[in-house]
Every structure is written in structure tokens, then in C-alpha cells.
Amino acid sequence: MSKDLTRRSFLKGAAAGAAGVAALGVLNLPAMAREEPAWDQEADVVIVGSGGTGVAAAAAAAESGASALILEKAGVAGGTTNFSGGVMQAAGTQVQKELTAYQDDTPEKHAQLWIKAGEGLVDEELVRDLAAGAPGHIEWLTGLGLKFTSVYGHCHIPYVDDSLMADRIHVYEGGGAAGQGTLLVQTVLNHALELGAAIQYNTQVTRLIQDAQGKVTGVEAEQDGQTLRIKANKGVVLAAASVDHNVEMARRLHPQQYEDLMNGVCLCAVTDTGDGIRMGMEIGADLSGMGGTIDFCGKTGAATDNRVPLFPSFIVNAAGRRFVCEDATYAYHYRAIYQQTKQLDGPTYMIFGQSSLIQGAPWTQESAAADVEAGVLVTAGTIEELAQKLSIRPENLAATLNAWNADMANGEDTQFARRTGLAPIEGPFYAYKNVANNLGAIGGLRINVNAQVLNTQGQVIPGLYAGGLNAGGWIGPYYPGSGTAVMGAIHWGRKAGAHAASL
């Protein structure tokens, strides 16, 4: 999707709605008229989006006896959840006990880890609620037919005590790899449909409708060139992801996501254009948790799985210096990569050597040569020559290599307490320019533990819910490990659908 098309889509949707949050400089529109329009359709719970959050909300509403209608912008269900591996974090499950050495893990420890990783910026009540609910969601999904066959852990976080770490990432049969989240989506969606829920595709929701008292009573949507007004008897659930592909919203609200859109690879569904966040803001919803991203190295998969040690290598900034523990969990060290890129106005590089190719590197001699030919890798016989090719001061990069090799002679990284890949690096040398592969922006509408959306005064906006990455505050300034987002989608989706159905 082009930047111009994305921006036009954003402005068109904004013009259709009402007041944004002027203090953020995002929108400055007149207040939306409260209305009781002529309705074209209705359902008890209307859900915007059919990713993990949306299908979970529909299933929970239908289980509670409410009619549920999903409105999906694309022609297929799943959104970015389809592109994931469908893995989910949970602590204290029977599956964890059967498949790992962690027999005494608890949701309380899980919450403590997430809170610590949140660096004081998360809503602790939301985090504790998510951790407490996670084991039950694994049981629920098992009952729907998913078979969990393995459990692994994410890589360490330098300031988090190891006592809080455990193998908690649950993988179902047929899941775990990119694109296999589709099985999760279809399993939950089929369950919802069997209970009477419905889904309409190629339907773009453009604004929320409120009554005279400010309750959200429905939505306006575009379908087959027609404008529809769809009544929600009990509530509307926003499950439309974050600002992933919206260049304008990312530039104003989410600098790291904006950087990824400009210079990285965004792997999210192209329909993730911040619609739910925009519509919430138009009626006075507050934002929470904006800032982090789900970034990783798509070339090497570095630090995405605690079962796979990082090969001998180190990452340097534009000055040729190391700046982060490279085998700390992926989004932690990619946040540092983003910060160094902006602070020094230059790229960062993964440096490794010929010796690394036989010590676990994802490259072979042949694939490295092919990547050199393609311009993906830069190579040189000496570290000084490599530095010159990268426009880095040769003495700096040479000093970094010498410090690394001196540490490796003693088997210890004295600079950043790296744990894996602790071996000397010998030439010829290679450099890979770090490129963020992005699976979504973190942060969205502020919610409470019932997934109800709150306004800028901290009050519930009646009839409005949000979940997954359409909601914020339950993940901190970087993504704390695989399985967090999908579990959050299931958790907040089910809570939103059930609570709306109970009204």
C-alpha cells in the first residue's frame, strides 16, 4: 500500500468521524452528532476485525447466548494473526507441567516478568489479569480441538531475574511457524459460527455511532459501495489491530513504527491501518502504551527462541561500538538498534567472521557468498577494511573486535553479559545491515480489565470495547517475547465479547 493511499484512507476515515485528541495533534474535528439513525442491520455484539481478538470476541459472545456479527475489512478472516505462528504464553498449565521441567510455575511469576519488562509503563492490573487468565485459555482452546505439543521459552532480559523466567510459549500441532496462526483463527471462528455468529467480509467500518447519552450503539460501514448502519444492541468490540500500515498515524503517534515503515519490513496485514484507534479517538477515547514494536531479525531469527543459541557475532552502531546484549530477547535488542540508529543517524551492523560459519551461523560458505553477491552482506579480509566499506572508523571497529576476542579467551562477555555464542571471531569478516522485520505496533486504546474503552478522564465509554493490539497498556515499551500478543488477543477478545453479551 502506498504512503499516499494510506494517508488518503486515514484522512477519509477521520473526516467521517468526530473529535480526535487535539493535544496529540492527530485530529482536530468537530464533535460527532449524537444520533438515532435508521439501521440496516443489527446484532447484540458487533465486532470490527476478524483476527485473533475478533474471532475470540465473537465466540465468547455466542457462548453467552448473544448474537455476534464480525465485520471484516478484507476478503478473508485472520488479519495479522494469520501471519504469526499462533504460539501463546501461559504459566502453570498442565501442558507446561507435562512438557517442561517447570513444575511450580505460576501466573503470578508470569505477571511479575511482564511487569518488570514493562519498565513501569504498563497497567499492572491489566497485566495481572492477562497472566491469570492465560492458563484457562489454553484449556479452552484444547477443548476446541487444538493439541499443544511443545512448550519453549523466550530469551533472557538483562535486568529480569532468572527466577521469573520459564518455558511458557505453548505451540499447538500445526503451529509455531510463520503463517500457521491461520489454524488458530479458523478453529475459533468455526466455533463461533457453529454457535450462530456471523461474519461479513469486504466490509470496512468507518465510524462509531453514539446515542444522546454517549453510548456507542452501532457502527457505520462501507460494503459493496453502499453505506450501512449496523446497530449493536449490547456493544461494539474494536479488534482492528494498531497503526501498523498507517504512515500518517505512525509518524504522529508511534516513532518506532514509523521508522519500520520507512526503512524496515512490515509483515502485518495491509488492512491494519489504525481504524479502530482512530474511531475510538474520534469519540474521546484515551490512548495507552504507545511506543514499542514487535521487531525481530528476519534474516537470522536472532534471540527468538531460547532453544537456539546465537552464533558468534556482535552488533555495532555507526561509530563501530557494541551497545546491547545481542542474545537478549529479540524486541529488547531491536529497540536498542532503533535508538542507536536515530541517535547516531546511521545504520547498525551484525559483525561476524569466517569462523562463525562453522559455529551455528545461519549462513553457510555458499549462502554467505550469494548474499555478498546480492549486496546483503559486506565482506573484507581484515576488520579495518570492512570498517572502511561500512564508513566506520577502522580503529573503533578494530577495538571492538579486540575487546570481544579478549573476553572470549576467558569465556565471558564483560561488557553486556552475553550468554551464548561466546567464541572468538576470526576473518575474513562479514557485516549484515540490521533491518527490522515488523509484526505490529504496540499500544492502542486504553481499556479496563473488562476490555471496556476508557475516555481521557478514565471513564468507561458505554458500549465500546477494544482488545488485542487495538488496545494498549498491557505490553510495555518493547515486545517481551513470542506468544504475548496472541495470548493477549484471545484474552481481551474473550473478555470483551463475554462482558458485552452480559449487558
Side-chain angles (χ1 to χ4, degrees):
M1 182 178 294
S2 73
K3 298 177 191 175
D4 288 343
L5 180 59
T6 302
R7 187 173 187 274
R8 288 199 301 272
S9 175
F10 168 69
L11 294 175
K12 177 183 177 183
V21 180
L24 291 171
V26 179
L27 297 171
N28 186 19
L29 301 176
M32 180 186 299
R34 305 289 171 79
E35 58 191 281
E36 182 60 34
W39 300 105
D40 299 295
Q41 299 178 37
E42 68 177 271
D44 291 334
V45 182
V46 175
I47 299 147
V48 182
S50 68
T53 305
V55 296
E63 287 174 345
S64 300
S67 60
L69 173 62
I70 303 172
L71 303 175
E72 170 53 49
K73 187 177 179 181
V76 296
T80 299
T81 308
N82 281 347
F83 304 152
S84 76
V87 299
M88 287 162 277
Q89 284 198 32
T93 67
Q94 187 60 38
V95 176
Q96 185 191 36
K97 288 179 171 61
E98 291 174 356
L99 299 178
T100 79
Y102 295 93
Q103 301 301 299
D104 301 315
D105 194 21
T106 66
E108 290 75 20
K109 284 185 178 181
H110 197 184
Q112 288 178 48
L113 182 146
W114 274 336
I115 290 169
K116 184 69 173 176
E119 298 180 351
L121 299 176
V122 292
D123 182 325
E124 294 190 14
E125 188 177 16
L126 295 181
V127 173
R128 295 185 191 281
D129 192 77
L130 172 60
H137 301 313
I138 296 295
E139 292 181 10
W140 178 67
L141 291 166
T142 299
L144 297 186
L146 291 182
K147 181 181 179 182
F148 290 91
T149 56
S150 65
V151 181
Y152 68 98
H154 61 78
C155 296
H156 72 109
I157 300 170
Y159 56 75
V160 174
D161 192 275
D162 283 349
S163 66
L164 298 180
M165 305 289 288
D167 290 351
R168 299 183 176 118
I169 302 172
H170 289 58
V171 186
Y172 51 76
E173 189 173 53
Q180 294 179 340
T182 305
L183 177 58
L184 169 66
V185 170
Q186 291 300 316
T187 297
V188 178
L189 175 60
N190 288 336
H191 172 62
L193 297 177
E194 288 169 2
L195 294 175
I199 183 168
Q200 294 180 16
Y201 297 102
N202 300 307
T203 303
Q204 181 173 358
V205 178
T206 55
R207 72 180 182 102
L208 301 169
I209 298 172
Q210 294 174 285
D211 65 15
Q213 289 72 46
K215 178 184 177 183
V216 174
T217 56
V219 302
E220 191 168 272
E222 299 295 324
Q223 183 186 87
D224 296 328
Q226 294 184 325
T227 299
L228 302 178
R229 293 172 178 84
I230 302 168
K231 185 179 182 182
N233 296 319
K234 294 176 177 288
V236 172
V237 179
L238 297 175
S242 192
V243 300
D244 306 333
H245 277 289
N246 193 311
V247 174
E248 180 66 15
M249 289 186 77
R251 186 179 68 83
R252 295 178 181 271
L253 296 173
H254 209 299
Q256 189 171 347
Q257 185 68 22
Y258 180 67
E259 173 71 15
D260 287 354
L261 289 173
M262 295 297 98
N263 299 301
V265 179
C266 185
L267 301 173
C268 302
V270 295
T271 48
D272 291 357
T273 53
D275 300 347
I277 293 173
R278 171 187 55 77
M279 289 187 289
M281 291 172 66
E282 286 170 358
I283 64 168
D286 200 4
L287 297 178
S288 183
M290 304 298 288
T293 61
I294 307 176
D295 278 356
F296 67 102
C297 180
K299 187 68 174 179
T300 67
T304 57
D305 185 331
N306 69 349
R307 299 167 298 184
V308 182
L310 187 59
F311 65 102
S313 58
F314 53 78
I315 295 174
V316 298
N317 58 23
R321 304 296 192 186
R322 287 181 71 200
F323 55 88
V324 70
C325 180
E326 296 91 352
D327 67 350
T329 192
Y330 52 98
Y332 171 89
H333 76 249
Y334 255 84
R335 177 182 63 167
I337 286 171
Y338 161 70
Q339 292 170 337
Q340 290 290 307
T341 298
K342 305 310 289 185
Q343 288 171 10
L344 298 181
D345 191 26
T348 69
Y349 294 94
M350 177 183 291
I351 306 296
F352 60 99
Q354 183 76 19
S355 59
S356 306
L357 299 181
I358 59 172
Q359 297 185 70
W363 285 277
T364 63
Q365 187 72 45
E366 293 73 23
S367 65
D371 274 354
V372 169
E373 181 69 22
V376 175
L377 290 177
V378 177
T379 189
T382 68
I383 199 68
E384 290 83 2
E385 182 186 355
L386 184 67
Q388 290 175 341
K389 289 184 176 182
L390 301 177
S391 298
I392 293 173
R393 292 182 65 177
E395 62 270 27
N396 285 2
L397 191 57
T400 299
L401 174 66
N402 291 337
W404 171 272
N405 283 341
D407 270 358
M408 295 310 104
N410 298 315
E412 179 185 10
D413 176 13
T414 61
Q415 295 185 74
F416 295 100
R418 167 93 166 257
R419 299 183 178 187
T420 61
L422 301 179
I425 297 174
E426 299 174 356
F429 299 97
Y430 297 89
Y432 171 71
K433 180 181 176 181
N434 294 305
V435 176
N437 280 236
N438 174 278
L439 275 171
I442 294 169
L445 301 181
R446 183 183 173 195
I447 60 171
N448 63 17
V449 293
N450 294 317
Q452 294 171 289
V453 176
L454 307 179
N455 65 20
T456 54
Q457 288 75 47
Q459 301 166 330
V460 168
I461 298 176
L464 186 61
Y465 298 81
L469 292 174
N470 203 147
W474 55 278
I475 300 179
Y478 63 89
Y479 190 59
S482 297
T484 304
V486 176
M487 180 52 78
I490 298 299
H491 180 77
W492 298 118
R494 291 187 74 196
K495 294 209 75 171
H499 193 273
S502 73
L503 298 178

